[in-house]
Amino acid sequence: MSIKSFAAKLFAKKIYKETQLWSNDPIATQRKVLLQLIQDAKQTQFGIDHHFDQIANENDFAKQVPVRDYEALKPYVDKVVKGEKNILWKGKPLYFAKTSGTTSGAKYIPLTKESMPYHIEAARNAILHYIHETGNADFVDGKMIFLQGSPILEEKNGIKLGRLSGIVAHFVPKYLQKNRMPSWETNCIEDWETKVNAIVEETINENMAVISGIPSWVQMYFEKLHQKGGKPVGEIFKNFNLFIYGGVNYEPYRAKFENLIGRKVDSIELFPASEGFFAYQDSQKDKGMLLLLNSGIFYEFIKSDEFYTENPKRYTIGEVELGVNYVLIISTNAGLWGYNIGDTVQFISLKPYRIIVSGRIKHYISAFGEHVIGKEVESALQEAIIGTNIRINEFTVAPQITPAVGLPYHEWFIEFENEPEDSVSFAEVLDNAMRKQNMYYDDLIVGKVLRKVVITKVAKNGFQDYMKSIGKLGGQNKIPRLSNDRNIVDLLKRE
């Protein structure tokens, strides 16, 4: 055992004990976070406008601070972007994480000196929990890679801005810098395909032990490695045993990954976003991700089926239930207040509080009242391919409301790596799995409002070509699992 791996185990034990302290006292932990946030922001414009001096508890907060999305918070954000101080949070942000907006162009998400450390610590602590549980720390002596956006930053009114992953690249701890790949120069390449090719050249002869990124883009990296090396990734990187991912569910990709790697590897799921780092997988034995209750974020939850009603109830951590689909609402030490990030979650454990990401509140199919969510289509597909040789590269689902003939249906656009031998049987299994996942969908099938799913094959690299056509190839961009219209699928290249 190296000195580095021995030290990692000692540090992992310390962090595990610290995590146990707050996770065993969740309600008090969250109340403390909220009151500290209120105290720190009392003298900001937002705090004055919303009477923070009158807030003493969670109920007061819900009365004073409405739920907002970016568009509703934008008048405040615009002032911050102009360089004004003490608007949403004390002083000025360190950075803006620049992301794509839906109706107002680019979104500028503030990152402050208080919020930034939690992004770094959460990713670190996820790895330390893995080390503590498994005892495996040998990988700290190998090379690590995170497929991310360019670290080149712009500047706007004295505040640097860029993609979150690019900003985080500036905070890599010194003890990891020698192990980290790719090189700074390669990381700065903007064109994604050119960048991945350069990463392959740099890493193919290295001792890669940890690989991290969004599964769909890591898959491209693995495919190029396999083409160049002529053998499975697991043979090219004999010490590669840990895959760290976030952004999308890994399960639809797992079979394809294990085929590309040539063996199984451990994985750690993360739930980061520009708005905050919310959760990470803290155990290889238990499902779900530990919700980070002590990281400068106060959480509220709204049941997704009540979200669009007038004045829906906002639940705090002590009020949530298992298996309910909640819209995640956050208030943070970066100055986001009652903020709807658009993600939906479900709790699968209350001791400790562990979640899964179930989808996006705007990404659903309810053309006929079925309200199908991302988790349901992913689970149905996973059930349909289990025990088969079918492998999926990518997929998305959309309703076909006005077919040329017959009843409407849900159309699954799938890019297969290995196709089913019997497409009709596969569609039948998939449809049955969907009916088990969603009783409203089942009612529509039984009532002959909908017919069974229709599968449309997407040409090889069809999803990549689509993402490239809209300028979102690579980085943190990902394909929505489903949508309530056909805007995406109408642009897909089909077989």
Side-chain angles (χ1 to χ4, degrees):
M1 182 188 300
S2 70
I3 294 175
K4 198 171 183 179
S5 61
F6 178 72
K9 287 187 178 183
L10 291 179
F11 192 30
K13 185 175 182 180
K14 175 179 181 293
I15 295 301
Y16 173 78
K17 287 182 177 179
E18 291 178 0
T19 302
Q20 292 299 107
L21 288 175
W22 62 256
S23 65
N24 287 334
D25 196 8
I27 296 173
T29 296
Q30 274 283 274
R31 180 163 295 160
K32 183 179 178 181
V33 168
L34 173 62
L35 295 179
Q36 188 64 57
L37 292 173
I38 296 301
Q39 180 63 35
D40 288 344
K42 269 185 181 178
Q43 301 306 315
T44 64
Q45 182 181 334
F46 190 93
I48 293 168
D49 290 349
H50 294 81
H51 308 290
F52 276 17
D53 59 339
Q54 299 175 22
I55 295 176
N57 54 45
E58 297 88 339
N59 290 333
D60 292 344
F61 181 78
K63 289 175 183 175
Q64 299 286 9
V65 179
V67 171
R68 290 178 168 96
D69 59 12
Y70 184 84
E71 306 305 324
L73 198 66
K74 193 171 182 293
Y76 288 98
V77 176
D78 285 347
K79 291 183 178 183
V80 183
V81 173
K82 288 176 183 176
E84 296 184 34
K85 296 181 180 179
N86 303 316
I87 303 300
L88 287 165
W89 190 252
K90 52 191 178 182
K92 294 169 69 172
L94 288 179
Y95 300 94
F96 290 117
K98 187 177 179 181
T99 65
S100 299
T102 52
T103 60
S104 61
K107 291 164 52 176
Y108 297 93
I109 306 299
L111 297 165
T112 64
K113 66 178 182 180
E114 289 83 9
S115 71
M116 196 67 224
Y118 287 114
H119 286 272
I120 312 305
E121 289 176 11
R124 178 201 71 189
N125 291 351
I127 297 173
L128 291 173
H129 273 80
Y130 172 82
I131 290 173
H132 180 265
E133 182 184 55
T134 65
N136 174 23
D138 293 342
F139 61 85
V140 302
D141 296 310
K143 294 292 179 74
M144 305 178 185
I145 189 171
F146 177 56
L147 296 180
Q148 60 189 175
S150 170
I152 296 175
L153 304 180
E154 304 171 51
E155 194 168 299
K156 198 173 185 70
N157 296 320
I159 300 173
K160 293 186 181 298
L161 64 96
R163 299 171 185 166
L164 175 65
S165 61
I167 293 170
V168 168
H170 291 262
F171 289 83
V172 175
K174 287 184 179 179
Y175 60 84
L176 286 181
Q177 286 178 359
K178 288 184 179 179
N179 299 64
R180 179 177 173 271
M181 297 194 79
S183 65
W184 186 267
E185 293 74 21
T186 295
N187 221 12
C188 290
I189 297 172
E190 287 289 348
D191 181 75
W192 186 251
E193 290 176 294
T194 304
K195 182 174 186 170
V196 173
N197 287 332
I199 291 172
V200 169
E201 294 295 331
E202 281 194 5
T203 58
I204 195 165
N205 295 315
E206 296 287 345
N207 176 27
M208 302 304 301
V210 179
I211 295 172
S212 178
I214 290 178
S216 50
W217 305 122
V218 175
Q219 178 177 306
M220 181 191 292
Y221 170 55
F222 283 173
E223 288 171 342
K224 290 180 179 292
L225 277 169
H226 187 270
Q227 290 167 9
K228 185 171 180 63
K231 52 188 176 181
V233 173
E235 290 185 29
I236 296 171
F237 302 142
K238 296 187 184 300
N239 293 316
F240 166 47
N241 285 299
L242 183 59
F243 173 51
I244 303 174
Y245 68 95
V248 298
N249 184 3
Y250 181 40
E251 291 309 315
Y253 299 93
R254 189 179 291 276
K256 175 68 184 293
F257 266 56
E258 289 177 356
N259 181 64
L260 284 167
I261 298 167
R263 53 184 165 81
K264 293 184 178 181
V265 299
D266 287 345
S267 61
I268 302 174
E269 183 176 9
L270 310 178
F271 185 11
S274 299
E275 296 86 352
F277 203 124
F278 307 123
Y280 58 70
Q281 183 181 347
D282 65 318
S283 174
Q284 295 291 301
K285 300 172 185 175
D286 300 305
K287 292 183 178 180
M289 294 176 285
L290 182 71
L291 188 63
L292 303 181
L293 304 176
N294 194 37
S295 296
I297 302 172
F298 174 67
Y299 299 95
E300 296 172 282
F301 308 89
I302 298 176
K303 292 180 179 180
S304 59
D305 57 3
E306 299 174 359
F307 185 74
Y308 291 109
T309 62
E310 189 175 353
N311 297 319
K313 178 173 171 54
R314 292 154 69 168
Y315 297 87
T316 57
I317 195 67
E319 300 172 304
V320 296
E321 304 170 63
L322 294 174
V324 175
N325 208 44
Y326 292 104
V327 180
L328 184 64
I329 308 298
I330 60 169
S331 298
T332 78
N333 55 6
L336 301 176
W337 302 100
Y339 189 84
N340 168 26
I341 66 168
D343 287 312
T344 59
V345 300
Q346 292 180 7
F347 285 89
I348 61 171
S349 167
L350 301 182
K351 289 185 178 180
Y353 284 91
R354 290 197 182 101
I355 59 170
I356 58 171
V357 180
S358 52
R360 299 277 294 169
I361 190 63
K362 291 183 178 179
H363 293 169
Y364 61 90
I365 298 177
S366 198
F368 305 91
E370 61 272 44
H371 207 85
V372 171
I373 61 174
K375 173 183 174 291
E376 292 168 345
V377 296
E378 289 177 338
S379 296
L381 185 61
Q382 184 64 20
E383 182 177 334
I385 66 176
I386 196 166
T388 73
N389 292 322
I390 299 169
R391 290 198 295 273
I392 308 294
N393 285 339
E394 193 58 271
F395 77 98
T396 192
V397 188
Q400 175 52 271
I401 299 171
T402 55
V405 293
L407 294 172
Y409 53 86
H410 285 187
E411 189 170 9
W412 290 62
F413 291 78
I414 303 177
E415 182 182 330
F416 289 100
E417 173 71 15
N418 273 8
E419 295 185 16
E421 294 180 5
D422 186 339
S423 296
V424 174
S425 295
F426 176 68
E428 181 81 18
V429 172
L430 183 58
D431 193 76
N432 287 335
M434 267 307 308
R435 292 173 67 178
K436 285 191 287 184
Q437 289 289 325
N438 186 300
M439 63 181 179
Y440 304 110
Y441 176 77
D442 181 56
D443 287 344
L444 292 168
I445 296 292
V446 171
K448 300 192 183 305
V449 176
L450 293 178
R451 62 178 163 120
K452 295 178 180 179
V453 303
V454 171
I455 295 172
T456 297
K457 296 176 186 176
V458 175
K460 184 172 176 57
N461 299 322
F463 283 96
Q464 288 184 22
D465 292 343
Y466 163 74
M467 294 296 276
K468 191 172 183 178
S469 73
I470 62 171
K472 290 191 174 184
L473 183 66
Q476 304 304 105
N477 301 306
K478 44 193 178 285
I479 291 279
R481 284 289 174 239
L482 69 181
S483 48
N484 208 37
D485 54 45
R486 297 182 64 83
N487 293 341
I488 293 173
V489 300
D490 284 346
L491 295 176
L492 281 173
K493 184 178 169 186
R494 309 173 198 182
E495 288 190 340

